[in-house]
Amino acid sequence: MNIHTYEKVWIVASMVLIVGFIATITYGAVGPGIAMIDDDGGDINPDEINDDERFAEPGVEHVGGNEYEVTVVAQAWSYTPSEIEIPANSEVTFYVTSRDVTHSFSVVGTNVNTMVVPGQVSEMTAKFDEPDEYGILCNEYCGEYHHTMEGKLNVVPEDEFDLTELSVEADDEIDAGNETTITANVTNGMQEDLETTVSLEIGNQTQEEDVTVPGDGSEEVAFTVDSADLDEGDNDWTVTVDDYEESGTLSVVTPEGNESADGGDGDA
Amino acid sequence: MRNAYLDQFPDEARVIKAAFWSSFIALAIGGVLGLVQALHRTDVFRFIQSPDYYTVLTAHGVLLVIVFTIFFLVGTFTWAVTTSLDRGVVDTRFTWAWYIMMVIGAALAGITIFSGFLESAPSILGSELNADVLFTFYAPLEAHPFFYIGLVVFVVGSWLAGVDWFRTWLAWRRENPDERIPLPTFMVLTTTLFWYICTLGVSLSILVFLLPWSLGITESVNPLLTRTMFWYFGHAVVYFWLMPAYLMWYTMLPKFSGGKLFSDPLARVVFVLFLLLSTPLGIHHQYLDPGIAEGYKFIAMTNTMFLLLPSLLTAFTVVASMEHGARQRGGEGYLGWLKALPWRDPIFTGMALAGLMFAAAGFSGMINAGMNINYLVHNTWWVVGHFHLTVGTAVALTFMAASYWFIPQLTGKELWNRSVALGQVVLWFIGMTFMTNAMHRSGLFGLPRRTAEPQYQGFDFEPAVGTVGEINMQVALGAVILTLSLALFLLNMVMTSIGSNSESIPDNTYADTLSGAEDSPRILDNLKLWTAIAVVLVIIAYTLPLASIIDAGGLFGPDIEGFRLSTWVDPAVIESLSEVIR
Ligand code: HEM
Ligand SMILES: [Cu+2]
Ligand SMILES: [Cu+2]
């Protein structure tokens, strides 16, 4: 075959260019270890998401050290959870799946960008060094209101981050003269122990108790409340642990038939 | 004696003219919808409801990249085969048959899409007539069965067109047993072969999975499987659109430059490479898909990079041929020859500008192809910028420029106004420069594609340079210029067609070569060999990924029913959502 000299030079240069590209990209992908989306996430039946170990309660989990797992369920046209908070200096592995159609999970301005295909779990790992706020959006058409599908990813300073949860159990009513218990349940999602103080404010009293909540565990704190210390009628209470608080109302009532037993105010 | 195409092949000329007009109609409607999109997204002017945006976008995609491009292609290829073999097709009734079949398919799909605008679309075959699924129709988004049927009928029509070209070539070979395949016919045949290979994927996906599922015969689909079968076709179709433009660049542009094609053998090599490599790289559209192992993505990436070779070779040959032409016209100097090119000729200038934009597209394409950089730009407006340079300009502008040559050839009438034509191609170039530059830039800060209102409540986009507002204005301005250019093009086509006969139409010829077919080994013409290798490459690239997808999700997926967009949403949800939006 008769090839002009310039053509030969051009062909050789083109091949060098192509092989160069492949080499750079291979180095870029394999070298510094930019993780690609692949089949590691496995598959899942979209109808069984609610029973799935990982996706039943989507959200942030601490794996240990600076490693976290974030599970997200996408559906038309929102993410669950829609706001994600993680600490700076963390390495986060996202697991995302879809309940209905194909979506994307794209953290704006980062390489965290994946298709979310029903039946599949997308798994990807990324590092977040600095505190920042990122938008999350769906960039794959998923129906009429696709453009409203968004979320937030907040990277907060390490010392402001925890995975503490507080829930409180308390009666609504108490008979005058009796005692009741307000129980605070503190869960610690981090793998390390959490040392903190739980406090209860009710009426004009405050009770406090120091607790150590074990890593990935929970601790109950029971506060005993005596109606004698309270006013008749509604008493607001607040349980606080670190930045979390929960409030409610406890009513002190006079049991029926006992009326005027110890002399009410007469306005009953 | 006038010797235009019309005089040589009057019957074929009529079919080709019909195919071109079908493509112009699709271009006209699709282009106007493009303007609607550009103004809506940028919030310059919104007059449709945002949910209807996706009906518009589906129509824009299907009309432009399926209907416009492929109708133009079949017209061009029929012209190329008959002109270069110097014989008519075997039977024009067959030619009309496939053309009409394609029209029926396109109309069926088109009506189904446009029915999506109706307040209450008619119910046919038990479901509402609409197809708001975009041109990629990813399951479990579900369209009305007519949409899928229309697409298949259209594709089968194009298969029959391929049969027509092969048949004509075989007839010619019987008459000319020892001759080399003329270059334009060689290009048509190799392109048709990879079209058969790649459309097999999407046709099977529709016939086995999507159509039965939308008819309610099967219950479920495997979304990753149908998606992968779409992209098995989806990249090769890109080259299918491009090949008629390449054909024009190789066989006509040298002539319009005033010279000859630099090398026939190298042109054959280029088309053989496209036959071999067009299909086994579709997975590069799925770099971000779960359920596909990294190794398969890597193979696709490598193949993609090697497919740069034929395009780089084309760049060389085209520029070298232009330089040859310029020097024949008295051009001199190192770059001074550029001035000697016929820049006042809209056909030449249109094609040259299209080629220039294609070079720019090559750069953004290399970014897309990089597996890792792709994460930054995937599904952003960067990608939309990229393909408005490729199919939206390299292909579309070449087609428009070529029409200035074809329509006089097919009608025997002189082009209505050459200055308007020249202005038109330059305006397209300017409009696309504004629009695609802004689109590329916005992709870099994450602006998503396919989104009616890319303005979010919880966050703002932060361009590294410039502002979102300024970028939006460039998109809107570019879109307006493009629409103006499109209107001028159509005006010229209409006025030419209703004009009067002219005796001064140039002869229907294509470019001579400096280095002809006799310089190339005969093995290049062995289509069976190349097809066999192409099939083997496809099997290597796709067997394992498909097997693992089917292994994980089953052929029909884990009970995944369809989502008909206009019917499945609870009205209360829409109500509450639109509250939020307002
Ligand atoms: C008047 C000229 C045109 C204008 C103003 C225009 C405008 C647009 C805009 C703004 C989008 C983005 C939609 C989005 O991402 O939300 C778009 C998408 C698109 N355009 Fe164009 N366009 C024009 C011509 C063309 C041509 C000639 C072609 C191809 C031959 C084309 C092919 C496409 C395709 C394939 C898409 C993507 C559809 C999808 O995402 O499903 N456009 N166009
Ligand atoms: Cu979406
Ligand atoms: Cu591609």
Side-chain angles (χ1 to χ4, degrees):
Chain A
M1 185 157 135
N2 176 356
I3 301 180
H4 198 279
T5 325
Y6 287 156
E7 273 176 333
K8 284 187 189 142
V9 173
W10 183 262
I11 294 174
V12 171
S14 301
M15 287 306 285
V16 169
L17 184 77
I18 290 170
V19 173
F21 275 136
I22 296 177
T24 336
I25 292 167
T26 311
Y27 175 73
V30 182
I34 296 175
M36 312 269 303
I37 315 286
D38 56 17
D39 54 354
D40 285 350
D43 44 304
I44 184 172
N45 182 335
D47 290 340
E48 289 162 15
I49 287 178
N50 292 348
D51 307 324
D52 185 82
E53 210 183 311
R54 183 172 269 146
F55 288 100
E57 281 181 58
V60 181
E61 267 195 43
H62 186 214
V63 180
N66 65 343
E67 288 177 29
Y68 295 82
E69 269 183 22
V70 177
T71 45
V72 179
V73 178
Q75 60 258 306
W77 296 284
S78 65
Y79 298 101
T80 317
S82 61
E83 256 194 85
I84 300 169
E85 192 180 275
I86 50 164
N89 283 321
S90 58
E91 192 180 290
V92 181
T93 304
F94 295 91
Y95 295 89
V96 194
T97 194
S98 164
R99 235 180 248 293
D100 40 43
V101 295
T102 301
H103 301 275
S104 92
F105 178 83
S106 309
V107 180
V108 178
T110 73
N111 269 338
V112 179
N113 188 3
T114 180
M115 293 288 104
V116 184
V117 181
Q120 303 290 329
V121 177
S122 309
E123 175 190 329
M124 90 222 87
T125 302
K127 285 202 168 80
F128 293 90
D129 294 334
E130 298 293 325
D132 206 341
E133 289 189 12
Y134 298 98
I136 299 173
L137 57 79
C138 172
N139 65 21
E140 186 53 88
Y141 168 64
C142 55
E144 277 112 325
Y145 288 95
H146 154 64
H147 48 274
T148 62
M149 186 157 169
E150 62 173 292
K152 280 294 297 266
L153 175 70
N154 297 327
V155 184
V156 300
E158 257 175 297
D159 52 1
E160 288 173 24
F161 182 81
D162 60 44
L163 284 173
T164 309
E165 274 174 47
L166 169 68
S167 65
V168 180
E169 260 177 60
D171 292 331
D172 295 337
E173 261 184 22
I174 169 180
D175 288 347
N178 284 357
E179 281 185 357
T180 184
T181 329
I182 293 182
T183 313
N185 191 324
V186 184
T187 13
N188 173 18
M190 303 293 285
Q191 296 300 326
E192 298 89 36
D193 292 354
L194 169 74
E195 286 180 20
T196 185
T197 309
V198 187
S199 64
L200 167 74
E201 264 179 72
I202 187 161
N204 43 20
Q205 326 184 298
T206 307
Q207 302 185 32
E208 282 196 350
E209 194 172 324
D210 292 338
V211 287
T212 303
V213 190
D216 201 17
S218 63
E219 199 62 43
E220 263 184 14
V221 178
F223 297 103
T224 309
V225 180
D226 188 343
S227 62
D229 302 331
L230 303 176
D231 300 332
E232 181 129 354
D234 290 351
N235 292 271
D236 293 334
W237 55 259
T238 306
V239 175
T240 317
V241 60
D242 298 334
D243 292 338
Y244 302 87
E245 56 173 50
E246 195 168 322
S247 347
T249 321
L250 181 66
S251 319
V252 179
V253 296
T254 315
E256 250 167 83
N258 257 3
E259 215 133 346
S260 75
D262 41 24
D265 288 329
D267 56 358
Chain B
M1 250 288 285
R2 193 180 73 174
N3 199 16
Y5 188 80
L6 174 71
D7 308 309
Q8 301 168 333
F9 305 104
D11 295 338
E12 285 82 354
R14 232 170 287 133
V15 196
I16 298 175
K17 202 168 64 183
F20 282 160
W21 274 104
S22 309
S23 103
F24 296 161
I25 292 169
L27 177 64
I29 305 172
V32 172
L33 297 178
L35 178 65
V36 174
Q37 288 161 201
L39 299 179
H40 191 97
R41 281 189 53 123
T42 54
D43 201 9
V44 171
F45 181 47
R46 287 183 175 159
F47 64 95
I48 53 166
Q49 299 283 315
S50 285
D52 282 339
Y53 179 88
Y54 303 105
T55 311
V56 172
L57 188 56
T58 307
H60 182 75
V62 171
L63 283 177
L64 287 172
V65 293
I66 309 283
V67 183
F68 159 63
T69 47
I70 297 181
F71 267 123
F72 201 90
L73 177 145
V74 294
T76 306
F77 278 12
T78 306
W79 165 82
V81 167
T82 46
T83 299
S84 65
L85 297 179
D86 201 15
R87 83 185 298 291
V89 296
V90 178
D91 184 349
T92 31
R93 282 173 309 181
F94 183 68
T95 311
W96 277 110
W98 59 249
Y99 165 71
I100 289 168
M101 195 163 169
M102 288 175 70
V103 171
I104 293 173
L108 195 60
I111 290 169
T112 312
I113 296 169
F114 278 99
S115 166
F117 287 118
L118 299 177
E119 194 81 355
S120 59
S123 185
I124 301 173
L125 289 176
S127 65
E128 229 178 90
L129 195 65
N130 64 40
D132 296 338
V133 292
L134 306 191
F135 83 96
T136 43
F137 51 88
Y138 295 141
L141 294 176
E142 192 178 28
H144 188 275
F146 280 5
F147 175 75
Y148 302 116
I149 295 172
L151 291 185
V152 169
V153 170
F154 185 80
V155 167
V156 173
S158 75
W159 287 351
L160 296 181
V163 169
D164 203 6
W165 304 322
F166 266 95
R167 221 173 138 199
T168 307
W169 166 62
L170 288 173
W172 172 86
R173 207 176 56 178
R174 256 173 267 122
E175 296 150 13
N176 306 271
D178 296 322
E179 273 189 59
R180 295 297 294 265
I181 309 175
L183 184 60
T185 301
F186 181 84
M187 293 172 163
V188 170
L189 299 183
T190 44
T191 305
T192 305
L193 285 170
F194 82 67
W195 181 241
Y196 285 141
I197 294 176
C198 77
T199 43
L200 201 63
V202 72
S203 310
L204 282 179
S205 169
I206 292 182
L207 291 176
V208 178
F209 300 115
L210 299 175
L211 183 58
W213 170 71
S214 78
L215 285 166
I217 298 169
T218 51
E219 302 264 285
S220 169
V221 284
N222 180 340
L224 188 60
L225 179 60
T226 48
R227 189 178 161 88
T228 305
M229 290 173 88
F230 178 85
W231 284 117
Y232 168 94
F233 147 88
H235 192 84
V237 71
V238 167
Y239 289 108
F240 192 57
W241 308 325
L242 197 58
M243 289 307 102
Y246 271 36
L247 188 147
M248 297 308 292
W249 295 351
Y250 274 105
T251 67
M252 298 304 284
L253 190 57
K255 190 180 89 169
F256 296 128
S257 320
K260 294 177 176 180
L261 173 63
F262 198 71
S263 162
D264 167 303
L266 220 57
R268 285 176 204 254
V269 170
V270 165
F271 276 74
V272 166
L273 284 172
F274 280 118
L275 167 55
L276 296 184
L277 289 175
S278 285
T279 314
L281 42 66
I283 289 181
H284 74 196
H285 289 260
Q286 298 178 283
Y287 284 158
L288 270 66
D289 278 14
I292 298 177
E294 197 169 336
Y296 308 139
K297 296 179 177 175
F298 197 81
I299 294 174
M301 188 271 285
T302 313
N303 286 348
T304 307
M305 290 298 175
F306 276 107
L307 202 46
L308 272 177
L309 184 64
S311 287
L312 288 167
L313 294 181
T314 302
F316 178 88
T317 311
V318 169
V319 174
S321 309
M322 281 181 2
E323 180 183 347
H324 172 74
R327 296 205 189 279
Q328 297 303 105
R329 296 164 60 95
E332 274 171 12
Y334 198 60
L335 283 174
W337 56 269
L338 281 169
K339 282 186 298 209
L341 286 168
W343 292 109
R344 301 203 148 273
D345 175 7
I347 309 172
F348 170 81
T349 302
M351 290 192 192
L353 293 178
L356 193 62
M357 283 233 146
F358 193 58
F363 289 106
S364 68
M366 288 176 210
I367 300 279
N368 300 344
M371 288 208 289
N372 41 4
I373 323 175
N374 186 271
Y375 277 71
L376 197 64
V377 295
H378 183 89
N379 265 1
T380 68
W381 241 16
W382 168 283
V383 178
V384 183
H386 168 73
F387 61 66
H388 279 90
L389 289 178
T390 55
V391 69
T393 303
V395 173
L397 186 54
T398 300
F399 286 3
M400 289 188 272
S403 303
Y404 294 136
W405 191 77
F406 276 132
I407 295 301
Q409 287 293 321
L410 298 171
T411 58
K413 295 166 179 176
E414 217 160 338
L415 187 64
W416 174 63
N417 190 317
R418 285 175 72 84
S419 311
V420 169
L422 185 60
Q424 185 268 321
V425 297
V426 173
L427 278 180
W428 191 273
F429 182 82
I430 296 173
M432 270 306 173
T433 305
F434 276 112
M435 189 169 91
T436 57
N437 176 48
M439 284 173 164
H440 276 101
R441 283 175 58 202
S442 52
L444 290 179
F445 58 79
L447 197 76
R449 67 183 283 200
R450 300 183 146 178
T451 300
E453 298 179 25
Q455 291 88 20
Y456 293 87
Q457 310 204 311
F459 60 94
D460 292 316
F461 291 102
E462 286 155 18
V465 191
T467 63
V468 175
E470 157 256 333
I471 287 174
N472 280 343
M473 288 331 283
Q474 288 198 42
V475 169
L477 175 67
V480 169
I481 297 175
L482 283 167
T483 313
L484 177 66
S485 166
L486 180 58
L488 292 178
F489 170 73
L490 293 166
L491 177 72
N492 225 333
M493 289 296 108
V494 171
M495 295 308 283
T496 303
S497 298
I498 61 178
S500 52
N501 258 317
S502 159
E503 278 310 306
S504 57
I505 307 292
D507 290 355
N508 175 41
T509 57
Y510 62 96
D512 253 338
T513 50
L514 283 174
S515 160
E518 63 287 353
D519 289 337
S520 68
R522 275 199 171 257
I523 191 165
L524 277 177
D525 288 12
N526 190 337
L527 298 177
K528 283 194 189 119
L529 172 69
W530 302 121
T531 309
I533 299 179
V535 170
V536 169
L537 288 176
V538 166
I539 292 174
I540 292 175
Y542 268 100
T543 311
L544 291 176
L546 285 176
S548 78
I549 290 170
I550 293 169
D551 185 44
L555 270 177
F556 293 93
D559 193 18
I560 294 186
E561 73 264 34
F563 293 93
R564 283 282 172 83
L565 287 172
S566 299
T567 48
W568 67 284
V569 184
D570 182 352
V573 174
I574 299 204
E575 193 51 38
S576 64
L577 263 167
S578 34
E579 297 283 86
V580 173
I581 296 154
R582 269 184 234 124

